[in-house]
Amino acid sequence: MLPLFSRSRQRPTPDETTLDGQDGAPEDTVGVRTERTGTGGGLRQWRQRYPAVARAVAWTVTGLSGALVFIALLMPTTLPGLTVETFLRIPVEAIFGAALLLLLPPVSRRVVAALGGAVLGALTILNLLDIGFNEFLGRGFNVVLDWILLDDAQSYMKDSLGPTVATAASIGAVVLALLVVVLMALAVVRLSNVMARNSAVATRGTLVLGTVWVVCAAFGVQSAGGQAFASRTTVARVQDRAERVGKTLEDERKFAKEAKVDAYGSTPGDQLLTGLRGKDMIFTFIESYGRAAIEDPLIAPGVDKVLDRQTKRLREAGYASKSGWLTSATYGGSSWLGHSTFLSGLWIDNQNRYRTVTAGDHLSITRAFKRTGAWRTVGIMPGVTKGWPEAKFYGLDHVYDSREMGYQGPKFSWSTMPDQYALSAFERLEHGKKRDKPLMSEIILTSSHQPWAPIPKTIPWSEVGDGSVYQPIQKAGEDPKDVFTDSTKVRTEYGRSIQYSVNSLIDYVLKYGKKNTVLVFLGDHQPLARVSGENASRDVPVAIVARDKKVLDRISDWHWHDGLKPGPKTPVWKMSSFRDRFLHAYGPDGGAKPSPSASPSPSSEKPSGKPSATPSPSKK
């Protein structure tokens, strides 16, 4: 036993393995090692039998490991950033990492390499999330607030692509995330072992790359595309994420205080909205109705034609209209942030702010109507499929969600029902009934929600019924996958969906509106970048329609454009400024000016031009 034990001690350590992966042990020990290591011995025999293939495989695996690490260190956070020149740079993190691993003893080196690789894998996952969020929401992934949105993304895929695809995609995403972490850890460990076996070469290479990096950084050497050749992408990104976490937590504290300051919070009901008494108010949000719909060369012609035609029809029916621009707090999605910003007068650009404001008692426009006691307040929410506790915050007497609207037709991708049906249900359930009070309604129209396929068709109102009529229309529509993956087609179909929603809404007003009807409608946000374009604004159209000329006279100082289509020079306001302007315009004698002591923060600023010779409501 002693000779056998002595021979087994002669096994080389992993650091003694040659670059091509073959052991440097004496050939007469192979049999012993095979007996002790099982399949490991078979692998060595294969290496010895096919040395050229073994070396090729070893070099290939090492090369792939290096490529994987460099891609992770240089990965951008946006799709346009995925260019060849992005990856033709020297990452300083690789230089420092190599230097550290060369200095560590074997055991520590392997531990540090594995942990470092796992961390790099996790950062890669965050970069991929950034790419997705930038593509769909126009911003990076917030590691504090945005995990809940991944569940919404899964629900969106289920509604758009079916439960099987959604489940497969969810499982695939989890598996991919685990693979990225594991493979990155294995890649760094392998590279560290290769460097240890060739420490002299690795040390010289590290020094050379470090010198080149310092020179490039000192002289500001850039690629043809303007990117710095000396990269510190990962370090900068880690710093940025850490700063964003700190800012998010600080923002949470500041916003909680900001939301408690409400210039109209304690205004008595009899001093609110006196200029609209007796009017049937309809506030309508059109999903993804952004500035691109009116100004994009591919999309605008069809949408503008609809807006011009419907403006003319309204005018012929005795209605007048004015329109402007609002800058939404969100982009590409998260519609509820736009809704709450518009109605509350606070800048709600993340989920935490939304939770904070809806859990409090800040006065929303809709709740202002309820406070007066002069209106019945209802919500038509076809996109709500389960309990919606925010109804209390918005001051709605009753909310009709998708389960209460009697729809028996098919879903149109994410949208639970066509807009025309939702408006028909509104007429049947509320607007068409006799009441002792006028009606204030908040309506969310969802047919223009991505992926913009299939799109419903406008049909005679008498044929809408319970929605069964939409079965053949839905089946004949475009496939969401075919539309969403085609950069040109998705813009065309988006434009068609906006045309459908606007036509449905204005047709409803023309058919069922009365002399006391006042309509306020707007988009909640721009569509995603694939439709609106990279670096697009966050502006959305907003319009007010009324038969009573006095309603529009009260906003003459807003300098809005006549008609449903705002002009290129029409004023642009922050969406959060609308509440106070609206409550002022329709308050006693033109409205009550907010108290100077309740000056707004930048997130709720009001544009200039607001009349000031008015009494101030008490501050809550």
Side-chain angles (χ1 to χ4, degrees):
M1 292 296 293
L2 183 58
L4 181 61
F5 176 76
S6 299
R7 292 174 66 193
S8 68
R9 295 277 293 174
Q10 295 174 10
R11 292 179 61 194
T13 66
D15 292 343
E16 296 169 351
T17 306
T18 60
L19 186 59
D20 62 4
Q22 299 186 54
D23 293 340
E27 188 173 338
D28 62 350
T29 64
V30 172
V32 176
R33 289 199 306 277
T34 302
E35 179 182 342
R36 294 175 59 85
T37 60
T39 58
L43 180 59
R44 289 189 187 90
Q45 289 178 350
W46 178 83
R47 288 171 175 168
Q48 292 175 350
R49 183 174 301 176
Y50 306 103
V53 176
R55 281 193 295 272
V57 171
W59 277 104
T60 299
V61 173
T62 301
L64 290 175
S65 297
L68 186 64
V69 170
F70 267 71
I71 288 173
L73 290 173
L74 296 170
M75 177 179 286
T77 55
T78 63
L79 278 180
L82 288 171
T83 61
V84 173
E85 71 175 25
T86 296
F87 298 100
L88 297 180
R89 298 180 295 156
I90 301 176
V92 70
E93 301 86 0
I95 298 171
F96 277 102
L100 175 62
L101 293 174
L102 285 169
L103 293 172
L104 293 174
V107 175
S108 299
R109 188 190 71 244
R110 296 188 194 97
V111 172
V112 170
L115 290 177
V119 170
L120 186 57
L123 292 175
T124 301
I125 293 170
L126 291 178
N127 289 340
L128 292 172
L129 287 171
D130 272 342
I131 290 174
F133 271 66
N134 277 311
E135 182 68 11
F136 283 87
L137 300 180
R139 62 174 178 81
F141 179 77
N142 188 308
V143 296
V144 177
L145 302 175
D146 286 341
W147 297 104
I148 189 175
L149 297 182
L150 299 182
D151 181 61
D152 291 334
Q154 198 273 343
S155 298
Y156 166 72
M157 285 193 298
K158 181 179 179 181
D159 293 332
S160 301
L161 305 177
T164 303
V165 174
T167 301
S170 299
I171 295 173
V174 173
V175 172
L176 177 62
L178 293 175
L179 279 176
V180 168
V181 173
V182 172
L183 289 177
M184 201 69 71
L186 292 175
V188 177
V189 168
R190 180 171 184 84
L191 293 175
S192 71
N193 287 339
V194 170
M195 289 190 300
R197 292 194 298 269
N198 302 270
S199 59
V201 175
T203 300
R204 286 194 298 271
T206 301
L207 289 174
V208 170
L209 284 176
T211 302
V212 173
W213 191 95
V214 170
V215 172
C216 289
F219 289 95
V221 179
Q222 295 182 340
S223 65
Q227 296 196 66
F229 192 66
S231 166
R232 56 187 301 273
T233 300
T234 300
V235 171
R237 202 159 289 151
V238 169
Q239 292 175 338
D240 177 65
R241 292 190 194 283
E243 290 174 0
R244 276 193 280 168
V245 169
K247 290 179 180 178
T248 298
L249 298 177
E250 179 64 20
D251 177 75
E252 181 177 352
R253 292 188 289 270
K254 288 183 178 180
F255 184 73
K257 296 180 180 179
E258 180 183 335
K260 292 179 181 179
V261 179
D262 190 348
Y264 286 96
S266 296
T267 304
D270 60 2
Q271 295 182 29
L272 289 170
L273 302 163
T274 54
L276 293 172
R277 297 300 167 94
K279 306 297 184 187
D280 269 344
M281 298 296 305
I282 304 175
F283 290 90
T284 304
F285 292 93
I286 296 180
E287 172 65 36
S288 301
Y289 179 31
R291 189 161 190 154
I294 293 177
E295 295 184 346
D296 183 274
L298 181 63
I299 305 167
V303 175
D304 289 351
K305 183 177 180 180
V306 166
L307 293 173
D308 291 340
R309 181 174 65 86
Q310 294 290 22
T311 296
K312 181 180 179 181
R313 293 182 68 209
L314 285 169
R315 185 166 53 246
E316 291 172 348
Y319 290 91
S321 56
K322 287 184 176 293
S323 56
W325 299 109
L326 299 176
T327 301
S328 178
T330 186
Y331 173 93
S334 301
S335 303
W336 57 93
L337 303 181
H339 302 167
S340 55
T341 295
F342 176 80
L343 294 172
S344 72
L346 294 169
W347 191 252
I348 316 295
D349 61 352
N350 62 56
Q351 189 64 20
N352 185 68
R353 285 185 167 219
Y354 179 77
R355 287 194 297 262
T356 298
V357 72
T358 55
D361 56 2
H362 196 91
L363 187 69
S364 65
I365 292 177
T366 46
R367 198 159 75 184
F369 279 92
K370 181 177 178 62
R371 179 180 291 182
T372 67
W375 279 272
R376 170 170 168 77
T377 59
V378 301
I380 303 297
M381 310 288 177
V384 175
T385 58
K386 52 188 177 181
W388 192 55
E390 291 92 332
K392 180 180 179 181
F393 166 75
Y394 287 113
L396 300 174
D397 293 324
H398 188 82
V399 172
Y400 295 92
D401 62 28
S402 59
R403 301 166 297 179
E404 295 185 64
M405 298 173 68
Y407 184 63
Q408 300 298 316
K411 294 181 66 175
F412 283 75
S413 191
W414 183 89
S415 182
T416 58
M417 64 190 70
D419 292 344
Q420 189 178 9
Y421 179 87
L423 292 165
S424 177
F426 168 58
E427 180 66 21
R428 169 171 46 86
L429 296 169
E430 283 286 347
H431 187 260
K433 292 182 176 180
K434 291 184 178 181
R435 300 177 305 276
D436 57 358
K437 295 180 180 180
L439 188 65
M440 191 293 303
S441 52
E442 178 189 357
I443 302 176
I444 312 296
L445 298 182
T446 62
S447 289
S448 51
H449 193 287
Q450 65 187 36
W452 304 297
I455 301 171
K457 293 181 179 180
T458 302
I459 60 177
W461 291 92
S462 60
E463 296 179 9
V464 172
D466 65 359
S468 302
V469 68
Y470 291 104
Q471 289 285 356
I473 297 175
Q474 189 264 358
K475 290 181 179 179
E478 297 277 0
D479 188 313
K481 296 188 290 296
D482 294 340
V483 169
F484 204 65
T485 54
D486 187 320
S487 58
T488 299
K489 199 170 188 178
V490 71
R491 293 166 66 200
T492 301
E493 295 305 298
Y494 161 74
R496 290 184 59 235
S497 73
I498 295 297
Q499 294 173 46
Y500 169 79
S501 294
V502 171
N503 277 329
S504 296
L505 179 60
I506 302 304
D507 286 353
Y508 172 83
V509 171
L510 289 170
K511 182 174 180 61
Y512 296 108
K514 304 170 183 176
K515 65 180 181 180
N516 66 336
T517 296
V518 176
L519 169 67
V520 180
F521 76 96
L522 68 153
D524 44 24
H525 54 73
Q526 283 263 53
L528 78 172
R530 185 180 302 178
V531 174
S532 59
E534 297 296 334
N535 302 315
S537 74
R538 297 195 173 199
D539 298 345
V540 299
V542 57
I544 298 181
V545 179
R547 270 188 176 174
D548 187 346
K549 185 177 181 293
K550 294 179 182 178
V551 171
L552 296 182
D553 286 344
R554 281 183 171 253
I555 62 169
S556 59
D557 64 319
W558 290 8
H559 305 295
W560 278 14
H561 197 275
D562 288 336
L564 301 179
K565 183 178 68 176
K569 295 183 179 180
T570 304
V572 180
W573 307 337
K574 291 188 72 172
M575 188 177 278
S576 55
S577 72
F578 185 86
R579 187 205 73 159
D580 284 6
R581 280 183 169 270
F582 185 82
L583 293 179
H584 167 75
Y586 295 106
D589 300 323
K593 179 186 174 186
S595 169
S597 62
S599 57
S601 70
S603 64
S604 59
E605 68 186 47
K606 304 167 190 65
S608 60
K610 183 174 180 178
S612 57
T614 50
S616 301
S618 57
K619 183 182 73 174
K620 187 171 182 178

